[in-house]
Amino acid sequence: MSETFLFEGIEFDLTISYADTIGVEWEWAGAWTAAGEPLMRTHGVTMLVSLPDVYKQHGPLIPIHPRPSAAQYKAAIDVDPDYAATVAAGYVEAPAAFGERIAITPAPAVPQLTAHHLPPSPLEQTGFRGFLKSLRGGR
């Protein structure tokens, strides 16, 4: 059988570990159920559980990819021909240039509205205050 498993439209790579919702790490035990489902286990536990059961009871499962090795980091850095020269030269920036680079540009001015820009309040016309005034005048 292959080292991938398709379950509910999700393809699981069985060569890597998976973390469940509380952080327990599950890995493929290298065995299969009679129904063709991969058997999973947690570290230090010998009980095997099928991947669909782990997914339904503890999922969703989050893949845990191995960290890159030092050689992989070096290969990624060596792709940039200027990286080594940049690191060797160092990066020095004058304080004034740094200040200019991080200076906050002021926001554009927003016109301020004054009272004469606003329509009169309906409460001043015939709204709630008008109702209250009518109560006072009627007594």
Side-chain angles (χ1 to χ4, degrees), residues 3-126:
E3 292 187 350
T4 60
F5 180 68
L6 186 65
F7 178 68
E8 292 185 352
I10 303 167
E11 187 173 341
F12 289 91
D13 179 2
L14 301 177
T15 62
I16 62 173
S17 298
Y18 290 88
D20 64 18
T21 55
I22 61 170
V24 175
E25 191 172 332
W26 294 86
E27 63 184 4
W28 181 42
W32 301 85
T33 65
E37 299 168 341
L39 290 170
M40 307 294 283
R41 67 173 172 221
T42 61
H43 294 291
V45 179
T46 57
M47 185 176 84
L48 301 177
V49 183
S50 72
L51 188 138
D53 288 342
V54 172
Y55 188 82
K56 288 176 184 174
Q57 295 171 8
H58 305 284
L61 300 176
I62 303 160
I64 302 173
H65 296 282
R67 292 197 177 272
S69 67
Q72 289 171 322
Y73 276 119
K74 185 173 180 348
I77 289 170
D78 288 343
V79 171
D80 181 6
D82 299 327
Y83 180 78
T86 303
V87 172
Y91 182 76
V92 179
E93 184 175 20
F98 176 73
E100 287 176 18
R101 185 167 54 84
I102 66 165
I104 298 173
T105 56
V110 177
Q112 297 296 317
L113 295 178
T114 58
H116 71 276
H117 288 100
L118 302 174
S121 168
L123 294 179
E124 292 293 335
Q125 296 170 3
T126 59

